[in-house]
Amino acid sequence: MKSSSRETTPSLRASAKASPRYGSAKASPNDYGLILDFFFDLTLKPSLLTLSRPNAEPFLRFNSDSVCSQVTYAGSNCGDSSRTSTGISTIVSTDISSIGNEGSVTSYTESLGGNRYYIPSSVGEIGIPFTHQVFESLAKGYKFYKDYGRLGGFSVRKTTEKRDDDGQTILLKHYVCSREGFNDPKDDSGDKVVQRRRTASQSETGRQFLRVNREMNINLRNIVFDSSKVKIGCSTSFSFAKELAGGYSNVGATLRDFRNFNRDLKAFVGEKDGQMLIDKFKVNQENSKSFYFAYDVDSAGHLTKLFWADPIGRRNFELDGDMVSFDATFDTNKSNSTCGDISIPGVDKHDKCVTFAACLLSQESIADYTWAFDHFVKSMGQNLVVIITDQCAAMKVAGPASFSAKNGLIASKQRLCMWHIIQKFPVKLGNPLCKETDFMEKMKNYIWSSNLEIHEFEEGWETIIKEFKLEGNKWLSDMYAIRSSWIPAYFRDEPIFGLLRTTSRSESENFFFGQFHKQGDNLCEIWIGFQTAMERQRNETARLDHESKCTTPTTISTWYIEDDAADLFTRAIFYKFQEEIIRSCLDMQIKRMSEEVDGVTHLEIRDVKVKDKIFKVSVSKNHAVCSCKKFVMCGIVCRHAFCGLKQISVTKLPRSLVLNRWMKIADSGTSSNSLAVSNDHFKMEQISLKLTNIWFDFRQAVNKAGVQVDRLDYVHKSITQLNKDLDDCGDVVEFTKNDHMDAMVGEQPIGDLTVLPPNVCKNKGNYFKRLISEREKAVTKSKKRIRKCKKCNADS
């Protein structure tokens, strides 16, 4: 038995035979059969044993002459084989817990000389080592030792290694218990103080905390990474892993391990996130030619602008790109770049937000917005019909310049958000006027109404201004001067312009993206969060498509035109039509109806919901026109037109009143094939899904086994056999943690960085960096709890 008087801890020595296994003239390291000579000197805690001799420190020795272990006591030389008995009489099947310890994982045998031998009770016959045991490789020998230690209740680690002269062939390798050896730190005087390692063997209840039982394997890394995509922290993801595994002891790692990996993942990206993201975009473009991206850097190489549009986003624009709302105050990243979402949102056939593209801007200047808008037009191949923004001065200049009639395109129209302007009334005019009078109520009747003609709005505005003596107010005069950019009366003849009046779609998207992004994220984290958000949004669209195509909504009326609408439109749009149909039957009063002339009938209809207003409707079997112009503005047939169609007994909706953008088959006939997405760069997601399915199937097997011992034994035996079969397939190519992080966030760039992270900058998106209005300060102050003196109850 190979031994040393210094060694007082478990160790495994593996040495290769001098001759190759296959008799080749020159052998590689993998050609050697490794004959392993085991020697264990495992120090146990005194609390694990109840001994008759006081102050005796027990040791567990694996003797080369037997498969059991001998107990010797403190004061003996652990390397002295003369103290070792080589014979074993009868095996005593008594667990060591029977002699005073409930947490034991060992049992013992007793020799003829009265010595006791201890072996782990839960190893099993297959896992018991024997002398001259042969393994195909060092890796498999180490795995065997790790498993033995895991079942026996101690950790193992790698230590001494000796190679041949050329450094290729391993001649000697030591695997030892984690408690092997000594620490020799120096004291204040400079002298060495020998101390035993603090790592000790553990009891049954401490097994899960042993290093040998803790490993952030691929599955656990995926849990941490996938959780971070939806902003789930390490504590919650660790609890989730516990539920999946059926207990903390089954997770295979601790909360600290989860946090350490999350830390390592951020450190892996470090200051290389700009270059890594650009490299990833280049790979995406190679996989799919329809992936578009552009970026710009400053003179020092720091990223200042970034724009991207994936194939699905570009296809969405082809379908629903007639109007766009843009709000650049979403949030900021680690470098305070604006995370503004160019062309978010549009409106799809389900009346839901749809994403076209996204961009990051380090500044909110005219030049930056012009750059982003120009690349938007270039990526989509056409202008917007209308863009809705707030009163940002930079966008006010950049929008018309970028979305002009250049290159033969139709110029876009820019519309201002009504909500932002209405919010300024109390600030500009004062609370006494806006909150204590009926000024705002009267003004909103003219501002928000879509049923007013232009001259009706102007007359109403002038009347209110005179009533409250506001003729000299400059801000109101300025708002009136740009009335054509925000008052609905000026958009009544523009197709779909009435669909969006405010940037509320952007506000909704801001909330949505906030679930996948937090302030302080680096660029790679922003990209990963964006991709996760897109997956959810597009999955919801797929669900709504299925619901619309495979189910039929309930109709209320007996009019066949309602059934026709249910067949044509998506569920959300049908409900809008249904509301108009019901209102046409309940709220309409026909004041006059002409005779049919050339197939056209003219009606004058009063809507009981709209006071002092008569709507003029012209209907035929193939078309309908109403003075309210709702169909022109929103693409939805109004209740007045439905009333007229009913009077002439139309039972099928005229196809001239059916817009493709609202139909179930709206995406038919598009260039989706030319914009198909390559699945190559989704490989990681597919692997993650496969691992999830494997884990689910395993949990199903365990659940079916329940608490029946025979069934659990069958599951365990099957898994053990599966592991053995996988081992027989040969060594698996090592997939290191760095390899895994490469697959998750992208490969680290090689060589000098050409794209550096953005510099810190100030913008509107960061609440803590932007200027705060007096009104915001007042609102915030009003929400604070007023402190009062406990004695006199006065404000303090």
Side-chain angles (χ1 to χ4, degrees), residues 560-759:
Y560 290 120
I561 204 169
E562 185 182 6
D563 297 319
D564 189 37
D567 292 335
L568 291 172
F569 301 113
T570 61
R571 182 69 65 90
I573 301 304
F574 165 74
Y575 288 141
K576 293 180 179 291
F577 273 86
Q578 187 181 62
E579 176 66 17
E580 298 299 318
I581 290 172
I582 300 304
R583 292 298 102 192
S584 71
C585 300
L586 300 178
D587 298 338
M588 301 299 106
Q589 297 176 353
I590 299 176
K591 294 298 183 181
R592 191 182 70 83
M593 180 175 176
S594 69
E595 296 293 333
E596 182 179 326
V597 178
D598 296 331
V600 179
T601 303
H602 302 280
L603 302 93
E604 292 183 359
I605 300 176
R606 179 178 179 271
D607 189 340
V608 298
K609 300 293 185 181
V610 183
K611 295 181 180 179
D612 304 324
K613 187 73 175 181
I614 299 296
F615 297 93
K616 296 181 179 180
V617 181
S618 299
V619 295
S620 66
K621 298 292 184 181
N622 301 316
H623 196 54
V625 178
C626 178
S627 61
C628 78
K629 299 182 180 180
K630 181 171 184 175
F631 178 76
V632 177
M633 291 188 293
C634 303
I636 305 294
V637 180
C638 66
R639 59 196 63 185
H640 320 114
F642 273 123
C643 180
L645 292 172
K646 186 176 182 181
Q647 297 304 312
I648 62 174
S649 303
V650 173
T651 58
K652 193 172 185 179
L653 192 65
R655 290 312 183 254
S656 62
L657 301 179
V658 178
L659 295 186
N660 181 72
R661 75 172 338 273
W662 300 133
M663 296 179 67
K664 297 178 181 179
I665 58 172
D667 52 354
S668 300
T670 64
S671 57
S672 57
N673 292 332
S674 62
L675 297 177
V677 185
S678 172
N679 289 326
D680 292 344
H681 58 284
F682 293 131
K683 182 179 180 180
M684 194 62 208
E685 285 77 4
Q686 294 174 351
I687 293 175
S688 178
L689 178 61
K690 178 63 67 176
L691 290 172
T692 301
N693 291 336
I694 291 173
W695 186 250
F696 176 80
D697 290 340
F698 170 72
R699 290 299 305 161
Q700 286 289 95
V702 174
N703 289 336
K704 290 178 180 178
V707 294
Q708 300 182 38
V709 177
D710 56 339
R711 289 192 169 209
L712 289 173
D713 287 341
Y714 175 74
V715 173
H716 192 190
K717 182 178 179 181
S718 300
I719 295 173
T720 303
Q721 183 60 43
L722 177 61
N723 281 324
K724 185 177 182 302
D725 294 341
L726 291 174
D727 288 338
D728 293 340
C729 293
D731 290 340
V732 179
V733 177
E734 186 178 7
F735 189 60
T736 66
K737 182 171 70 174
N738 281 353
D739 294 334
H740 199 183
M741 290 191 290
D742 275 339
M744 288 176 174
V745 298
E747 295 183 1
Q748 289 190 322
I750 300 175
D752 296 335
L753 301 179
T754 58
V755 180
L756 301 176
N759 287 319

Side-chain angles (χ1 to χ4, degrees), residues 196-214:
R196 184 176 294 279
R197 290 181 179 270
R198 291 183 298 171
T199 304
S201 304
Q202 304 291 330
S203 65
E204 176 74 16
T205 57
R207 278 189 181 189
Q208 68 190 76
F209 305 111
L210 291 174
R211 186 178 297 276
V212 72
N213 284 333
R214 292 162 44 202

Side-chain angles (χ1 to χ4, degrees), residues 226-289:
D226 293 339
S227 297
S228 68
K229 293 180 182 179
V230 289
K231 302 310 163 193
I232 295 177
C234 292
S235 296
T236 305
S237 60
F238 179 65
S239 298
F240 177 67
K242 167 257 181 182
E243 297 300 331
L244 288 177
Y248 287 115
S249 59
N250 300 332
V251 173
T254 64
L255 176 58
R256 176 54 56 191
D257 295 326
F258 272 56
R259 289 173 175 166
N260 287 346
F261 176 74
N262 189 57
R263 175 206 61 198
D264 294 343
L265 194 60
K266 289 181 179 293
F268 179 80
V269 175
E271 295 299 318
K272 302 177 287 292
D273 60 338
Q275 186 69 61
M276 291 174 66
L277 186 58
I278 297 302
D279 291 345
K280 180 178 283 290
F281 280 0
K282 291 178 180 179
V283 172
N284 288 349
Q285 196 171 64
E286 292 176 359
N287 290 332
S288 175
K289 299 301 181 184

